[in-house]
Amino acid sequence: MRQKIVAGNWKMNKTLEEAQSLTSEIMGMVADEVKGAVKVVLCVPFPYLVTIKNQLGSSATIFVGAQNASQHDSGAYTGEVSVSMIKSIDVPFIIIGHSERRQYFGEDSKLLALKVDKVLAAGLTPIFCCGEPLEIRENGTHESLVKQQVEESLFHLSPEELKKTVIAYEPVWAIGTGKTASSQQAEDMHAVIRKHLASKYGNEVAQSISILYGGSVKSDNAKELFSQPNVDGGLVGGASLKSREFVEIVKSI
Ligand code: PEP
């Protein structure tokens, strides 16, 4: 059984007070029935990691995550946050290679491979994002681009390292646009990614990797998306900022 995960990516939103309220609402609403069946990860802005981690306490269901980390260990990199800093505050998950990092901060596959290495070396879990922009979907080369993204940033890993990695497929044209991939489009791409992993690592390893879908996941489409055989949960942006909506998505798993 693959681990089911629903991660919320809060991006650059909320004051500390709002973040604490949202967290306590989510904690209050994540019903007993989902406990154990799914890991919920709240990927909050850096300044709130410690506070939200403490607020969650020793929850075995809800975890905190970071949205990025530096490829450098330490030193003169003003404004950056290292993986060892994130590890030192006991934050178990880090999103790596979100399309907004690729698009606005020029992060490429080679850099992301370095970041993934740092996260794994620290014993933390990378949530590695991949996905094609609209023009690539429209010209029909989306499968080869996503395979290439996965290959360039993950295929240097050992099977043991890959098994500790979570992948999120997020078509860029579906992020924050309200335009969701159909459940068939999501399933098709997840199957392509899994088959590609199997070609390098074998079926047993490929079958053990959680592949999340991201891109305008909402409470009214989550059930259908999550019911696909190769979709193991979601990475949720906008809808993770509203407690009721997010918890409904969690309950759809
Ligand atoms: C995201 O930012 O990872 C995302 C999927 O955003 P949204 O759900 O708002 O499309």
Side-chain angles (χ1 to χ4, degrees):
M1 270 291 273
R2 286 190 291 270
Q3 177 66 55
K4 305 270 188 202
I5 298 170
V6 177
N9 175 13
W10 292 6
K11 310 193 187 190
M12 197 174 72
N13 290 296
K14 306 281 179 193
T15 62
L16 176 59
E17 202 179 320
E18 290 164 351
Q20 288 173 294
S21 302
L22 178 56
T23 302
S24 72
E25 286 163 23
I26 292 169
M27 288 172 78
M29 277 192 281
V30 168
D32 283 344
E33 71 255 25
V34 304
K35 287 190 179 148
V38 58
K39 281 189 177 170
V40 177
V41 185
L42 308 180
C43 298
V44 309
F46 284 132
Y48 310 153
L49 283 170
V50 172
T51 308
I52 302 301
K53 159 118 196 137
N54 290 340
Q55 195 177 340
L56 292 171
S58 56
S59 169
T61 308
I62 314 180
F63 302 85
V64 72
Q67 299 172 14
N68 179 36
S70 172
Q71 72 276 25
H72 300 293
D73 288 328
S74 63
Y77 300 101
T78 302
E80 287 289 88
V81 174
S82 71
V83 170
S84 55
M85 291 172 179
I86 295 169
K87 184 182 168 66
S88 74
I89 52 171
D90 250 335
V91 167
F93 291 89
I94 308 181
I95 297 174
I96 295 292
H98 189 279
S99 66
E100 287 149 18
R101 300 294 316 171
R102 292 176 188 261
Q103 192 180 345
Y104 306 135
F105 302 94
E107 298 196 359
D108 62 14
S109 289
K110 223 168 128 194
L111 175 77
L112 299 176
L114 295 174
K115 292 191 176 199
V116 167
D117 287 347
K118 292 286 176 213
V119 177
L120 289 167
L124 310 183
T125 303
I127 302 177
F128 172 77
C129 301
C130 55
E132 79 286 356
L134 183 61
E135 64 274 17
I136 297 291
R137 168 65 63 166
E138 284 175 348
N139 74 20
T141 57
H142 46 289
E143 291 186 359
S144 54
L145 180 87
V146 170
K147 275 159 62 178
Q148 189 186 342
Q149 290 174 333
V150 168
E151 210 170 300
E152 289 178 348
S153 297
L154 301 182
F155 270 25
H156 63 289
L157 299 176
S158 68
E160 292 68 36
E161 288 170 328
L162 188 81
K163 278 182 168 181
K164 294 174 187 149
T165 301
V166 173
I167 295 176
Y169 167 59
E170 300 205 299
V172 179
W173 47 271
I175 296 180
T177 58
K179 202 171 159 187
T180 319
S182 69
S183 54
Q184 194 58 54
Q185 285 172 319
E187 170 58 20
D188 289 349
M189 186 62 91
H190 285 222
V192 164
I193 294 169
R194 204 177 299 287
K195 200 164 154 217
H196 199 43
L197 295 175
S199 73
K200 160 92 177 161
Y201 293 94
N203 205 39
E204 193 225 309
V205 172
Q207 287 300 331
S208 72
I209 310 291
S210 299
I211 307 179
L212 317 182
Y213 168 78
S216 299
V217 176
K218 305 259 178 334
S219 59
D220 59 7
N221 59 26
K223 217 174 189 69
E224 163 98 31
L225 286 160
F226 296 167
S227 68
Q228 301 304 310
N230 281 293
V231 178
D232 305 307
L235 179 53
V236 184
S240 72
L241 297 171
K242 294 176 219 134
S243 55
R244 196 165 291 281
E245 178 71 7
F246 183 63
V247 172
E248 283 307 310
I249 293 169
V250 171
K251 285 203 262 180
S252 307
I253 202 88

PDB file of all heavy atoms in Angstrom, residues 179-201:
ATOM      1  N   LYS A 179      -8.433  25.631 -13.644  1.00  0.00           N
ATOM      2  CA  LYS A 179      -8.566  24.646 -14.727  1.00  0.00           C
ATOM      3  C   LYS A 179      -7.860  23.361 -14.258  1.00  0.00           C
ATOM      4  O   LYS A 179      -6.627  23.318 -14.200  1.00  0.00           O
ATOM      5  CB  LYS A 179      -7.838  25.229 -15.941  1.00  0.00           C
ATOM      6  CG  LYS A 179      -8.258  24.691 -17.259  1.00  0.00           C
ATOM      7  CD  LYS A 179      -7.603  25.553 -18.330  1.00  0.00           C
ATOM      8  CE  LYS A 179      -7.553  24.812 -19.636  1.00  0.00           C
ATOM      9  NZ  LYS A 179      -6.788  25.557 -20.636  1.00  0.00           N
ATOM     10  N   THR A 180      -8.625  22.368 -13.866  1.00  0.00           N
ATOM     11  CA  THR A 180      -8.007  21.136 -13.364  1.00  0.00           C
ATOM     12  C   THR A 180      -7.766  20.175 -14.523  1.00  0.00           C
ATOM     13  O   THR A 180      -8.560  20.133 -15.466  1.00  0.00           O
ATOM     14  CB  THR A 180      -8.978  20.423 -12.399  1.00  0.00           C
ATOM     15  OG1 THR A 180      -9.583  21.413 -11.591  1.00  0.00           O
ATOM     16  CG2 THR A 180      -8.286  19.419 -11.526  1.00  0.00           C
ATOM     17  N   ALA A 181      -6.704  19.379 -14.414  1.00  0.00           N
ATOM     18  CA  ALA A 181      -6.560  18.272 -15.368  1.00  0.00           C
ATOM     19  C   ALA A 181      -7.734  17.329 -15.124  1.00  0.00           C
ATOM     20  O   ALA A 181      -8.183  17.179 -13.979  1.00  0.00           O
ATOM     21  CB  ALA A 181      -5.237  17.552 -15.122  1.00  0.00           C
ATOM     22  N   SER A 182      -8.223  16.697 -16.157  1.00  0.00           N
ATOM     23  CA  SER A 182      -9.278  15.708 -15.929  1.00  0.00           C
ATOM     24  C   SER A 182      -8.647  14.544 -15.177  1.00  0.00           C
ATOM     25  O   SER A 182      -7.412  14.367 -15.206  1.00  0.00           O
ATOM     26  CB  SER A 182      -9.856  15.227 -17.260  1.00  0.00           C
ATOM     27  OG  SER A 182      -8.879  14.461 -17.942  1.00  0.00           O
ATOM     28  N   SER A 183      -9.477  13.746 -14.526  1.00  0.00           N
ATOM     29  CA  SER A 183      -8.906  12.632 -13.767  1.00  0.00           C
ATOM     30  C   SER A 183      -8.177  11.680 -14.720  1.00  0.00           C
ATOM     31  O   SER A 183      -7.160  11.093 -14.352  1.00  0.00           O
ATOM     32  CB  SER A 183     -10.002  11.910 -12.978  1.00  0.00           C
ATOM     33  OG  SER A 183     -11.038  11.542 -13.838  1.00  0.00           O
ATOM     34  N   GLN A 184      -8.646  11.585 -15.965  1.00  0.00           N
ATOM     35  CA  GLN A 184      -7.964  10.718 -16.938  1.00  0.00           C
ATOM     36  C   GLN A 184      -6.599  11.283 -17.323  1.00  0.00           C
ATOM     37  O   GLN A 184      -5.619  10.542 -17.405  1.00  0.00           O
ATOM     38  CB  GLN A 184      -8.847  10.535 -18.196  1.00  0.00           C
ATOM     39  CG  GLN A 184      -8.383   9.401 -19.092  1.00  0.00           C
ATOM     40  CD  GLN A 184      -8.328   8.048 -18.361  1.00  0.00           C
ATOM     41  OE1 GLN A 184      -9.321   7.625 -17.776  1.00  0.00           O
ATOM     42  NE2 GLN A 184      -7.170   7.400 -18.361  1.00  0.00           N
ATOM     43  N   GLN A 185      -6.541  12.610 -17.532  1.00  0.00           N
ATOM     44  CA  GLN A 185      -5.241  13.238 -17.856  1.00  0.00           C
ATOM     45  C   GLN A 185      -4.249  13.038 -16.706  1.00  0.00           C
ATOM     46  O   GLN A 185      -3.075  12.755 -16.928  1.00  0.00           O
ATOM     47  CB  GLN A 185      -5.418  14.739 -18.115  1.00  0.00           C
ATOM     48  CG  GLN A 185      -6.040  15.076 -19.455  1.00  0.00           C
ATOM     49  CD  GLN A 185      -6.361  16.564 -19.578  1.00  0.00           C
ATOM     50  OE1 GLN A 185      -6.838  17.202 -18.641  1.00  0.00           O
ATOM     51  NE2 GLN A 185      -6.109  17.125 -20.751  1.00  0.00           N
ATOM     52  N   ALA A 186      -4.753  13.192 -15.471  1.00  0.00           N
ATOM     53  CA  ALA A 186      -3.873  13.004 -14.308  1.00  0.00           C
ATOM     54  C   ALA A 186      -3.412  11.550 -14.245  1.00  0.00           C
ATOM     55  O   ALA A 186      -2.219  11.268 -14.140  1.00  0.00           O
ATOM     56  CB  ALA A 186      -4.607  13.407 -13.026  1.00  0.00           C
ATOM     57  N   GLU A 187      -4.357  10.639 -14.335  1.00  0.00           N
ATOM     58  CA  GLU A 187      -4.018   9.213 -14.251  1.00  0.00           C
ATOM     59  C   GLU A 187      -3.015   8.826 -15.353  1.00  0.00           C
ATOM     60  O   GLU A 187      -2.045   8.116 -15.088  1.00  0.00           O
ATOM     61  CB  GLU A 187      -5.300   8.367 -14.349  1.00  0.00           C
ATOM     62  CG  GLU A 187      -5.099   6.872 -14.526  1.00  0.00           C
ATOM     63  CD  GLU A 187      -4.281   6.192 -13.429  1.00  0.00           C
ATOM     64  OE1 GLU A 187      -4.146   6.750 -12.322  1.00  0.00           O
ATOM     65  OE2 GLU A 187      -3.762   5.091 -13.691  1.00  0.00           O
ATOM     66  N   ASP A 188      -3.250   9.309 -16.569  1.00  0.00           N
ATOM     67  CA  ASP A 188      -2.350   8.955 -17.677  1.00  0.00           C
ATOM     68  C   ASP A 188      -0.920   9.401 -17.371  1.00  0.00           C
ATOM     69  O   ASP A 188       0.023   8.641 -17.560  1.00  0.00           O
ATOM     70  CB  ASP A 188      -2.817   9.599 -18.994  1.00  0.00           C
ATOM     71  CG  ASP A 188      -4.092   8.952 -19.526  1.00  0.00           C
ATOM     72  OD1 ASP A 188      -4.487   7.897 -18.995  1.00  0.00           O
ATOM     73  OD2 ASP A 188      -4.701   9.526 -20.461  1.00  0.00           O
ATOM     74  N   MET A 189      -0.775  10.634 -16.906  1.00  0.00           N
ATOM     75  CA  MET A 189       0.585  11.119 -16.648  1.00  0.00           C
ATOM     76  C   MET A 189       1.215  10.399 -15.450  1.00  0.00           C
ATOM     77  O   MET A 189       2.410  10.076 -15.468  1.00  0.00           O
ATOM     78  CB  MET A 189       0.591  12.629 -16.427  1.00  0.00           C
ATOM     79  CG  MET A 189       1.983  13.200 -16.308  1.00  0.00           C
ATOM     80  SD  MET A 189       2.991  12.971 -17.802  1.00  0.00           S
ATOM     81  CE  MET A 189       2.601  14.489 -18.680  1.00  0.00           C
ATOM     82  N   HIS A 190       0.416  10.138 -14.411  1.00  0.00           N
ATOM     83  CA  HIS A 190       0.974   9.418 -13.258  1.00  0.00           C
ATOM     84  C   HIS A 190       1.449   8.025 -13.679  1.00  0.00           C
ATOM     85  O   HIS A 190       2.493   7.550 -13.226  1.00  0.00           O
ATOM     86  CB  HIS A 190      -0.069   9.320 -12.135  1.00  0.00           C
ATOM     87  CG  HIS A 190      -0.270  10.610 -11.393  1.00  0.00           C
ATOM     88  ND1 HIS A 190      -0.393  10.676 -10.022  1.00  0.00           N
ATOM     89  CD2 HIS A 190      -0.352  11.888 -11.833  1.00  0.00           C
ATOM     90  CE1 HIS A 190      -0.538  11.945  -9.662  1.00  0.00           C
ATOM     91  NE2 HIS A 190      -0.530  12.695 -10.744  1.00  0.00           N
ATOM     92  N   ALA A 191       0.690   7.395 -14.562  1.00  0.00           N
ATOM     93  CA  ALA A 191       1.083   6.060 -15.038  1.00  0.00           C
ATOM     94  C   ALA A 191       2.373   6.153 -15.862  1.00  0.00           C
ATOM     95  O   ALA A 191       3.247   5.285 -15.761  1.00  0.00           O
ATOM     96  CB  ALA A 191      -0.046   5.446 -15.864  1.00  0.00           C
ATOM     97  N   VAL A 192       2.497   7.220 -16.657  1.00  0.00           N
ATOM     98  CA  VAL A 192       3.721   7.429 -17.452  1.00  0.00           C
ATOM     99  C   VAL A 192       4.920   7.595 -16.511  1.00  0.00           C
ATOM    100  O   VAL A 192       5.985   7.002 -16.710  1.00  0.00           O
ATOM    101  CB  VAL A 192       3.562   8.675 -18.370  1.00  0.00           C
ATOM    102  CG1 VAL A 192       4.905   9.165 -18.900  1.00  0.00           C
ATOM    103  CG2 VAL A 192       2.617   8.374 -19.522  1.00  0.00           C
ATOM    104  N   ILE A 193       4.741   8.398 -15.465  1.00  0.00           N
ATOM    105  CA  ILE A 193       5.847   8.632 -14.514  1.00  0.00           C
ATOM    106  C   ILE A 193       6.222   7.308 -13.830  1.00  0.00           C
ATOM    107  O   ILE A 193       7.391   6.947 -13.728  1.00  0.00           O
ATOM    108  CB  ILE A 193       5.453   9.697 -13.458  1.00  0.00           C
ATOM    109  CG1 ILE A 193       5.261  11.062 -14.121  1.00  0.00           C
ATOM    110  CG2 ILE A 193       6.496   9.777 -12.335  1.00  0.00           C
ATOM    111  CD1 ILE A 193       4.626  12.131 -13.231  1.00  0.00           C
ATOM    112  N   ARG A 194       5.212   6.573 -13.400  1.00  0.00           N
ATOM    113  CA  ARG A 194       5.500   5.316 -12.680  1.00  0.00           C
ATOM    114  C   ARG A 194       6.220   4.320 -13.603  1.00  0.00           C
ATOM    115  O   ARG A 194       7.149   3.642 -13.194  1.00  0.00           O
ATOM    116  CB  ARG A 194       4.210   4.725 -12.101  1.00  0.00           C
ATOM    117  CG  ARG A 194       4.488   3.809 -10.906  1.00  0.00           C
ATOM    118  CD  ARG A 194       3.235   3.265 -10.256  1.00  0.00           C
ATOM    119  NE  ARG A 194       2.338   4.253  -9.706  1.00  0.00           N
ATOM    120  CZ  ARG A 194       2.565   4.956  -8.586  1.00  0.00           C
ATOM    121  NH1 ARG A 194       3.685   4.800  -7.919  1.00  0.00           N
ATOM    122  NH2 ARG A 194       1.678   5.836  -8.152  1.00  0.00           N
ATOM    123  N   LYS A 195       5.769   4.254 -14.856  1.00  0.00           N
ATOM    124  CA  LYS A 195       6.398   3.345 -15.812  1.00  0.00           C
ATOM    125  C   LYS A 195       7.855   3.754 -16.065  1.00  0.00           C
ATOM    126  O   LYS A 195       8.746   2.914 -16.179  1.00  0.00           O
ATOM    127  CB  LYS A 195       5.599   3.387 -17.128  1.00  0.00           C
ATOM    128  CG  LYS A 195       5.824   2.196 -17.998  1.00  0.00           C
ATOM    129  CD  LYS A 195       4.762   2.089 -19.075  1.00  0.00           C
ATOM    130  CE  LYS A 195       5.354   1.330 -20.248  1.00  0.00           C
ATOM    131  NZ  LYS A 195       4.930   1.800 -21.544  1.00  0.00           N
ATOM    132  N   HIS A 196       8.067   5.049 -16.116  1.00  0.00           N
ATOM    133  CA  HIS A 196       9.427   5.556 -16.331  1.00  0.00           C
ATOM    134  C   HIS A 196      10.316   5.195 -15.134  1.00  0.00           C
ATOM    135  O   HIS A 196      11.462   4.780 -15.304  1.00  0.00           O
ATOM    136  CB  HIS A 196       9.367   7.071 -16.544  1.00  0.00           C
ATOM    137  CG  HIS A 196      10.575   7.637 -17.206  1.00  0.00           C
ATOM    138  ND1 HIS A 196      11.198   7.042 -18.274  1.00  0.00           N
ATOM    139  CD2 HIS A 196      11.306   8.752 -16.926  1.00  0.00           C
ATOM    140  CE1 HIS A 196      12.253   7.769 -18.639  1.00  0.00           C
ATOM    141  NE2 HIS A 196      12.342   8.797 -17.826  1.00  0.00           N
ATOM    142  N   LEU A 197       9.764   5.342 -13.925  1.00  0.00           N
ATOM    143  CA  LEU A 197      10.523   4.952 -12.724  1.00  0.00           C
ATOM    144  C   LEU A 197      10.828   3.456 -12.773  1.00  0.00           C
ATOM    145  O   LEU A 197      11.939   3.025 -12.455  1.00  0.00           O
ATOM    146  CB  LEU A 197       9.722   5.270 -11.442  1.00  0.00           C
ATOM    147  CG  LEU A 197       9.434   6.761 -11.153  1.00  0.00           C
ATOM    148  CD1 LEU A 197       8.526   6.877  -9.926  1.00  0.00           C
ATOM    149  CD2 LEU A 197      10.724   7.547 -10.932  1.00  0.00           C
ATOM    150  N   ALA A 198       9.839   2.681 -13.209  1.00  0.00           N
ATOM    151  CA  ALA A 198      10.016   1.217 -13.268  1.00  0.00           C
ATOM    152  C   ALA A 198      11.106   0.845 -14.266  1.00  0.00           C
ATOM    153  O   ALA A 198      11.860  -0.104 -14.045  1.00  0.00           O
ATOM    154  CB  ALA A 198       8.695   0.547 -13.628  1.00  0.00           C
ATOM    155  N   SER A 199      11.201   1.617 -15.363  1.00  0.00           N
ATOM    156  CA  SER A 199      12.204   1.287 -16.391  1.00  0.00           C
ATOM    157  C   SER A 199      13.622   1.407 -15.836  1.00  0.00           C
ATOM    158  O   SER A 199      14.537   0.740 -16.280  1.00  0.00           O
ATOM    159  CB  SER A 199      12.040   2.190 -17.621  1.00  0.00           C
ATOM    160  OG  SER A 199      12.486   3.499 -17.318  1.00  0.00           O
ATOM    161  N   LYS A 200      13.786   2.261 -14.843  1.00  0.00           N
ATOM    162  CA  LYS A 200      15.128   2.454 -14.272  1.00  0.00           C
ATOM    163  C   LYS A 200      15.309   1.665 -12.963  1.00  0.00           C
ATOM    164  O   LYS A 200      16.365   1.116 -12.709  1.00  0.00           O
ATOM    165  CB  LYS A 200      15.322   3.960 -14.041  1.00  0.00           C
ATOM    166  CG  LYS A 200      16.389   4.363 -13.071  1.00  0.00           C
ATOM    167  CD  LYS A 200      17.723   4.603 -13.741  1.00  0.00           C
ATOM    168  CE  LYS A 200      18.750   5.075 -12.714  1.00  0.00           C
ATOM    169  NZ  LYS A 200      20.104   4.900 -13.191  1.00  0.00           N
ATOM    170  N   TYR A 201      14.251   1.624 -12.147  1.00  0.00           N
ATOM    171  CA  TYR A 201      14.397   1.078 -10.786  1.00  0.00           C
ATOM    172  C   TYR A 201      13.669  -0.246 -10.562  1.00  0.00           C
ATOM    173  O   TYR A 201      13.769  -0.817  -9.491  1.00  0.00           O
ATOM    174  CB  TYR A 201      13.880   2.103  -9.760  1.00  0.00           C
ATOM    175  CG  TYR A 201      14.734   3.340  -9.686  1.00  0.00           C
ATOM    176  CD1 TYR A 201      14.424   4.477 -10.428  1.00  0.00           C
ATOM    177  CD2 TYR A 201      15.872   3.376  -8.887  1.00  0.00           C
ATOM    178  CE1 TYR A 201      15.207   5.622 -10.363  1.00  0.00           C
ATOM    179  CE2 TYR A 201      16.671   4.509  -8.812  1.00  0.00           C
ATOM    180  CZ  TYR A 201      16.337   5.627  -9.556  1.00  0.00           C
ATOM    181  OH  TYR A 201      17.128   6.747  -9.496  1.00  0.00           O
TER     182      TYR A 201
END
